[in-house]
């Protein structure tokens, strides 16, 4: 099973592809889709759609795990812009035939650490340990995408065990 984890964003969109097998999870690829901040919103959304579509074609994931939007009430514009990027990602995932799972940041954190309020370093350390990575996953967009994919993998493993 392959899971494509996504941390949606308009400037930087983190992604990570996990392969889940009986021996555990293996990170196949992780990175960031970047858009040109000088371009129009429409152009940036097209760039995200095209790059995300290439990832879907390359890896053919069974699941796409996307972090839900979180916005502080003082910054509603950030949530709106992030929502545009998230919408494009959800649309491309559905068009590509992948099942989509959305997770809140607290659910992702709790899945990896047992604490829904875990800090960035605690999440990075958990990812490093679980995937036997030589260093912390960086930048934070990539770490968040890996965390979303691991949360989905944990959920799928629980479903299998209950059957």
């Amino acid at each position: 099973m392959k899971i494509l984890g996504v941390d949606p964003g308009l400037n930087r969109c983190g992604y990570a592809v996990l392969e889940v097998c009986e021996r555990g999870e293996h990170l196949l690829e992780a990175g960031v889709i970047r858009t040109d901040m000088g371009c129009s919103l429409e152009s940036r959304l097209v760039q995200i759609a095209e790059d995300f579509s290439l990832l879907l074609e390359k890896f053919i994931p069974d699941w796409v795990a996307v972090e839900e939007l979180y916005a502080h009430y003082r910054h509603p514009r950030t949530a709106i812009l992030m929502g545009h990027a998230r919408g494009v990602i959800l649309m491309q995932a559905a068009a590509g035939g992948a099942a989509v799972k959305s997770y809140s940041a607290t659910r992702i954190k709790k899945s990896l650490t047992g604490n829904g309020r875990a800090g960035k370093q605690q999440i990075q350390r958990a990812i490093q340990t679980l995937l036997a990575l030589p260093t912390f996953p960086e930048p934070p967009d990539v770490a968040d995408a890996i965390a979303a994919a691991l949360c989905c993998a944990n959920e799928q493993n629980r479903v299998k065990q209950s059957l």
Side-chain angles (χ1 to χ4, degrees), residues 8 11-12 16 18 26 31 55 57 69 77 87 91 94 107 109 126-127 129 145 149 157 160:
N11 298 332
R12 291 180 319 274
L18 283 184
H26 304 282
L55 288 171
E57 289 174 20
L69 292 181
R77 187 175 193 285
M91 180 193 72
R107 181 161 179 205
K109 291 174 182 181
I127 292 168
T129 301
N157 287 334
K160 280 184 189 176

Side-chain angles (χ1 to χ4, degrees), residues 1 4 10 17 21 23 25 27 30 33 36 38 49 51 55 64 80-81 93 95 105 124 129 133 140 143 148 152 155:
M1 171 175 58
L4 174 54
L10 188 58
V17 182
C21 59
R23 296 182 314 265
E25 297 88 13
L27 185 63
I33 296 170
D36 183 349
D51 289 353
L55 288 171
V64 174
I80 291 167
L81 292 174
Q124 289 172 309
T129 301
L133 301 176
C152 185
E155 182 178 277

Side-chain angles (χ1 to χ4, degrees), residues 8 11 18 38 42 73 86 90 102-104 106 113-114 119 127 129 138-139 147 149-150 155:
N11 298 332
L18 283 184
E42 305 83 47
Y73 65 91
R86 189 171 187 277
L90 294 176
S102 293
Y103 300 101
S104 69
T106 54
T113 68
I127 292 168
T129 301
E138 291 183 320
L150 285 168
E155 182 178 277

Side-chain angles (χ1 to χ4, degrees), residues 13-95:
C13 183
Y15 72 89
V17 182
L18 283 184
E19 184 170 47
V20 181
C21 59
E22 290 178 14
R23 296 182 314 265
E25 297 88 13
H26 304 282
L27 185 63
L28 299 179
E29 182 174 308
V32 178
I33 296 170
R34 297 181 191 278
T35 62
D36 183 349
M37 293 173 59
C39 290
S40 67
L41 174 63
E42 305 83 47
S43 296
R44 294 167 78 185
L45 294 174
V46 167
Q47 184 64 57
I48 291 169
E50 289 173 352
D51 289 353
F52 193 72
S53 181
L54 291 174
L55 288 171
L56 291 167
E57 289 174 20
K58 179 178 178 180
F59 292 104
I60 311 169
D62 301 291
W63 294 93
V64 174
V66 185
E67 186 174 327
E68 290 179 352
L69 292 181
Y70 168 79
H72 195 276
Y73 65 91
R74 292 183 187 175
H75 305 285
R77 187 175 193 285
T78 301
I80 291 167
L81 292 174
M82 188 190 252
H84 289 305
R86 189 171 187 277
V88 166
I89 290 163
L90 294 176
M91 180 193 72
Q92 291 297 106

Side-chain angles (χ1 to χ4, degrees), residues 88-150:
V88 166
I89 290 163
L90 294 176
M91 180 193 72
Q92 291 297 106
V100 178
K101 296 294 270 185
S102 293
Y103 300 101
S104 69
T106 54
R107 181 161 179 205
I108 292 169
K109 291 174 182 181
K110 187 168 185 167
S111 173
L112 295 184
T113 68
N115 177 3
R117 299 204 184 279
K120 289 277 186 196
Q121 277 196 332
Q122 190 175 355
I123 295 298
Q124 289 172 309
R125 192 175 303 113
I127 292 168
Q128 182 183 19
T129 301
L130 286 167
L131 298 178
L133 301 176
T135 60
F136 278 2
E138 291 183 320
D141 312 286
V142 168
D144 289 347
I146 296 170
L150 285 168

